[in-house]
Amino acid sequence: MDMISTILTIDCVKDSGSSMWIYVFLGNALRGIGETPVTPLGISYIDDFAKAENSAFYISCLQTIMLLGPMFGFILGSMCARLYVDIGFVSVDSVTITPQDARWVGAWWLGFFVSSAILLLSGIPFWFLPRSLTKQGEEGKETFTMDQGNKEQPVLPTTNSMNLSDIAKGFLPSLKRLLCTPAYFLLLCGTVLKFNSFIGLLTFKAKYMEQQFGLSASRANFLIGVLILPVVAVGIFLGGLLMKRYKLSVVAGAQLSFITSFSAFLLLLLHFGTKCDNLPVAGFTVSYDGTPDTFYDERSLMSQCNQNCSCSTTEWDPVCSDSGITYVSPCLAGCTASTGHGKNTVFQNCSCVLTPSPVEGSRSVSLGQCPRGPACTRSFTSYMAVTVLSSFISSLGTTPGFMITIRCITPELKSLALGIQTLVMRTLGGIPAPVYFGALIDSACLKWGMKKCGGRGACRMYDSDMYRVIFLSLTTCLRGCSYFFIIAVIVLLRKQFSKEEVKALQQTASKQHEIELQAPAKRHHDGSKTDTTEKTEATNTEG
C-alpha cells in the first residue's frame, strides 16, 4: 500500500511539474511574431501601389483569401477532434468514451504539424516580392530633369536609407500625431470593443454549440468551417466590389459598414430565444424522481436509491437510461451488474432508473450522456440560419470599415496606423477577452471534474440557460457599446470631408476667377497685335 502511494505521489509530482506548456507558449509566440506584420504591411503595400478606386477591391480580395486559412483550419481541426488525443499510443478499442463526451480530448497537436508545413511553404514567395512597385496607372510615365547641358534625363528611383536612430526619433512624434487624430482614436476604441466581442465569440462559439445543442467538438468545428466562414468570405468580397463599382467615399463606406454591422447585431439578438433545455441529469437538473430542478450541491447526487452503494460524488462517468435521464455514474444510478465490454458495456439492475412498470432486472443504462430531443435539433437549425445570415450581412461592411483606418489619417502615417491598430487589437482584445469570457462562463458550471492528484479539473456540465445568458450578453454588450464610437467617427468624418470639399470648391473657384481675369488681358494683347499687323499690311499694300 505504501509503495502504491509512493508511485502515485511521484506521478503527481511529475504531472504538476511538467514544462511542456513552455514549448507551446514559445511556439505560439513565434507564430504570432511571424504573422503579425503581414496584415499591416501587406495592406499598406497594396494601397500604396494601387489606384485609389481599386484599393478597396484588392484589399477585399486579400481578406477573402486570408479566410481560406481559418476555413481549412476549422475543417482540419474537425478531423483531428475525431481522433483521440493519444492516438498511436493507446488502443482505440480500450477507449470507452466518445467524441460527444465532455471528457473527450481530440488530437489537437496533429494540426500543428500540417499547418506549420503549409506556412513554411507559403512564406517562400514573399522573398521574391520587389521592395517597391510602379504606381498603378503610371507604368508608362517617366520623370525627367534638366542637367547642366540642358539635356533631359530620366530620374532613377532612389531608395531612402534610414537607420534605426532616425526611425526612433520620428516614431514618438508620429505616434503622437496619430493618437491625436480624433477620428482614428475613436475608431481604435470602437474596434477594441468589437474585437473583444469577436474574439470571445470565436473562442467559445464551438463550445457554446456543444453545451447548448449537444454537438461534438468535431461537428461544431466542421459547421463553422463549412457554413459560416465561406459566407463571410463572399460577403467581404462583395463589400469590396461595391466600393469599387459605386466608388464610395470614406463617409459612405463608414455608413455602409455601420448599417450592415448594426443590422447583423439586431439579428443576433434572436439567439436569446433560440435554446435547448438543460439535459436531464439526475441530481443536477432533475431530481431522482424526474422533477425538473437545478442543483448546485453535489450532496443532491445522493438519494435513497443509491445510499447503500458507497458511491463517489466526484466521479464523472455518465450513463443514459431508456427514460432519457442521464446519471453521473453507474454507481449513482444504483446499478449492480453489467454485461458487454468497452463502449458496448450495459449496466443492469439499476435501482434509481425510472421505468413505467418497474420489474426486477429490467432497469438498465448504457455508457454516455443521453442525446438531445428533436425540439433541440429544430432550435439548432434556427440558430445556424440566423448565424449564417447575420455573418453575411456583417461581412459586407468589413472592407468599407477597414478603409476608414487608411483614409482618416495622412498617407505617411498609414503603415503606423495599421500597425498600432493590430497591436492594440491583439493586446487589449486578443489576450484579455478569452480570460474573462472563460471565467464568467465557468460560473455556470454544475459539475467539475477532478484531477488525478486532486484539485479542480475541467467542467463536465454547464447550466445551459445560464451559459446562454452569460455568453450572449457579453458578446452583445461589447458589440453594442462599440457602435457609440462608430457613430462619433461618422460624425467627425462628415465634418472633416465637408470642410475639405468646401476648401476644394473655393480653390477651384479662385482658379476659375484668375483664369477669367487673365482672359481679357490676353484678348486685349492679342487684339493689339492684330491691329498692328493689319496696319503694317495695309501700309505695305499702299506702298
Side-chain angles (χ1 to χ4, degrees), residues 11-34:
D11 289 341
C12 289
V13 171
K14 288 182 179 179
D15 182 63
S16 62
S18 176
S19 59
M20 293 299 295
W21 66 271
I22 298 177
Y23 298 103
V24 178
F25 174 79
L26 291 176
N28 280 292
L30 289 173
R31 179 178 61 85
I33 293 171

Side-chain angles (χ1 to χ4, degrees), residues 10-272:
I10 293 173
D11 289 341
C12 289
V13 171
K14 288 182 179 179
D15 182 63
S16 62
S18 176
S19 59
M20 293 299 295
W21 66 271
I22 298 177
Y23 298 103
V24 178
F25 174 79
L26 291 176
N28 280 292
L30 289 173
R31 179 178 61 85
I33 293 171
E35 73 179 15
T36 298
V38 174
T39 299
L41 299 182
I43 290 176
S44 178
Y45 187 87
I46 290 174
D47 189 61
D48 285 340
F49 302 110
K51 287 183 178 179
E53 61 269 20
N54 295 335
S55 181
F57 176 69
Y58 292 148
I59 290 174
S60 69
C61 291
L62 175 64
Q63 292 178 326
T64 303
I65 294 173
M66 286 171 62
L67 274 178
L68 295 178
M71 287 168 54
F72 173 77
F74 273 103
I75 295 173
L76 178 64
S78 172
M79 297 173 60
C80 293
R82 296 179 185 176
L83 307 174
Y84 191 60
V85 63
D86 292 327
I87 184 174
F89 300 95
V90 298
S91 174
V92 179
D93 296 332
S94 64
V95 180
T96 59
I97 58 177
T98 63
Q100 284 76 20
D101 198 294
R103 295 167 294 172
W104 179 272
V105 179
W108 57 269
W109 51 270
L110 195 58
F112 282 95
F113 289 99
V114 180
S115 58
S116 60
I118 296 175
L119 282 172
L120 184 63
L121 293 175
S122 63
I124 295 176
F126 284 93
W127 291 90
F128 299 97
L129 290 176
R131 183 184 296 271
S132 62
L133 297 172
T134 305
K135 181 76 173 180
Q136 191 179 30
E138 300 179 0
E139 292 84 355
K141 296 181 180 180
E142 288 184 334
T143 305
F144 293 90
T145 185
M146 300 295 292
D147 64 357
Q148 294 179 354
N150 293 329
K151 294 180 179 179
E152 291 184 345
Q153 292 182 352
V155 175
L156 298 176
T158 58
T159 303
N160 295 326
S161 57
M162 296 181 64
N163 53 34
L164 291 176
S165 61
D166 294 333
I167 296 175
K169 290 178 182 178
F171 176 74
L172 289 179
S174 299
L175 182 62
K176 183 179 179 181
R177 283 180 57 198
L178 187 64
L179 297 180
C180 290
T181 304
Y184 177 80
F185 183 76
L186 291 173
L187 181 64
L188 198 62
C189 294
T191 304
V192 168
L193 288 174
K194 198 171 182 179
F195 196 68
N196 271 265
S197 174
F198 172 75
I199 288 296
L201 179 66
L202 185 64
T203 304
F204 294 98
K205 188 174 185 66
K207 189 178 183 67
Y208 177 79
M209 294 164 68
E210 295 174 46
Q211 296 295 328
Q212 187 67 219
F213 303 104
L215 273 69
S216 65
S218 174
R219 181 168 175 77
N221 287 325
F222 180 78
L223 290 176
I224 293 174
V226 171
L227 293 181
I228 299 176
L229 290 182
V231 169
V232 173
V234 173
I236 291 175
F237 178 78
L238 291 178
L241 198 62
L242 284 174
M243 289 203 73
K244 175 179 171 61
R245 173 67 178 80
Y246 296 102
K247 298 180 180 180
L248 299 180
S249 64
V250 179
V251 177
Q255 292 172 342
L256 174 63
S257 178
F258 172 77
I259 292 172
T260 55
S261 181
F262 191 72
S263 301
F265 171 75
L266 295 178
L267 276 176
L268 287 177
L269 296 179
L270 297 175
H271 285 336
F272 281 96

Side-chain angles (χ1 to χ4, degrees), residues 332-406:
L332 289 171
C335 303
T336 58
S338 65
T339 59
H341 176 72
K343 296 178 182 179
N344 300 319
T345 303
V346 177
F347 297 91
Q348 298 173 336
N349 301 330
C350 305
S351 58
C352 294
V353 174
L354 299 175
T355 58
S357 55
V359 181
E360 186 67 24
S362 65
R363 299 177 175 182
S364 61
V365 294
S366 56
L367 284 174
Q369 297 177 192
C370 294
R372 303 275 182 167
C376 188
T377 303
R378 291 192 293 270
S379 295
F380 176 68
T381 303
S382 302
Y383 172 82
M384 287 303 297
V386 172
T387 300
V388 170
L389 181 60
S390 63
S391 299
F392 174 74
I393 295 175
S394 179
S395 61
L396 286 172
T398 300
T399 303
F402 201 87
M403 295 303 296
I404 302 173
T405 307
I406 301 176

